[in-house]
Amino acid sequence: MKYIQFINKDVEFPEDSYIVRIPVITNKEELYVKLMSKLRFPSYFGKNWDALDDLFRDFCWIDNDNIVIIHEGITGLPKKDLTLYVASVVDCIESWIYQSILDSEEKVGNNTEWKAPLHHVWFIFPEKEKEMIMDIIHEWIQIRKYKYCLKME
């Protein structure tokens, strides 16, 4: 997964990246406050999972193409909140990848100059949290596959 990385040291990103560091987090309220502050969320951010999902898919207020969110530790979150946050991370990355695919294939009307504001969003976590986060990602992907199969029948 290119946009989710687990590291023990600083890593280099493109020079024009908007880089934020989120300190060790132990509850969702603290997570919302830190993300809102560091990522300069608009004042209308509702401080809930749905609102976070919406803003992770937008970032129109950040001019940089590359956004890097470095977490110093999130596995202290309660399991339910950690699962919901990791699901938001995965959905965010998939949404931007999907949008970049659409952007490369579509034009709007006769406007060949049009280009959607695309971002590349990286989420960086400590290496020591890799197993727990990857287990959640795997579980989340399996749940979504199952729900998709149910809708198809």
Side-chain angles (χ1 to χ4, degrees):
M1 292 190 142
K2 175 181 175 181
Y3 295 106
I4 296 177
Q5 295 182 19
F6 300 91
I7 59 170
N8 287 326
K9 58 182 170 61
D10 281 340
V11 64
E12 290 187 29
F13 290 95
E15 201 171 290
D16 67 335
S17 297
Y18 184 82
I19 300 173
V20 300
R21 294 184 183 279
I22 307 298
V24 174
I25 299 294
T26 58
N27 64 67
K28 69 180 178 183
E29 291 77 17
E30 186 180 19
L31 177 65
Y32 295 148
V33 168
K34 293 298 182 188
L35 289 171
M36 183 175 186
S37 167
K38 302 281 186 168
L39 290 168
R40 303 178 313 188
F41 283 172
S43 60
Y44 58 80
F45 173 52
K47 294 183 184 165
N48 61 62
W49 297 117
D50 288 337
L52 183 63
D53 283 346
D54 290 344
L55 292 181
F56 271 180
R57 289 182 176 92
D58 190 350
F59 288 124
C60 67
W61 59 93
I62 296 178
D63 292 331
N64 308 65
D65 292 339
N66 301 300
I67 300 170
V68 182
I69 304 168
I70 302 171
H71 295 80
E72 294 181 10
I74 63 162
T75 56
L77 284 169
K79 175 73 171 168
K80 177 182 176 185
D81 293 333
L82 179 60
T83 300
L84 290 169
Y85 182 65
V86 171
S88 290
V89 165
V90 171
D91 289 347
C92 167
I93 292 167
E94 287 182 347
S95 175
W96 286 108
I97 290 171
Y98 180 70
Q99 182 60 42
S100 70
I101 292 168
L102 287 180
D103 185 54
S104 68
E105 294 177 352
E106 291 183 6
K107 301 291 180 201
V108 176
N110 292 328
N111 186 358
T112 57
E113 300 292 318
W114 179 82
K115 184 179 178 198
L118 296 178
H119 294 287
H120 301 282
V121 185
W122 281 272
F123 291 86
I124 310 301
F125 301 100
E127 179 71 36
K128 66 183 179 186
E129 296 184 343
K130 181 177 184 175
E131 184 177 349
M132 182 180 280
I133 292 171
M134 289 305 294
D135 285 349
I136 293 169
I137 291 171
H138 179 21
E139 179 182 315
W140 180 245
I141 290 170
Q142 296 306 314
I143 288 169
R144 288 197 323 195
K145 284 182 184 176
Y146 179 72
K147 286 181 178 179
Y148 180 75
C149 289
L150 288 178
K151 289 180 184 177
M152 295 300 290
E153 295 177 359

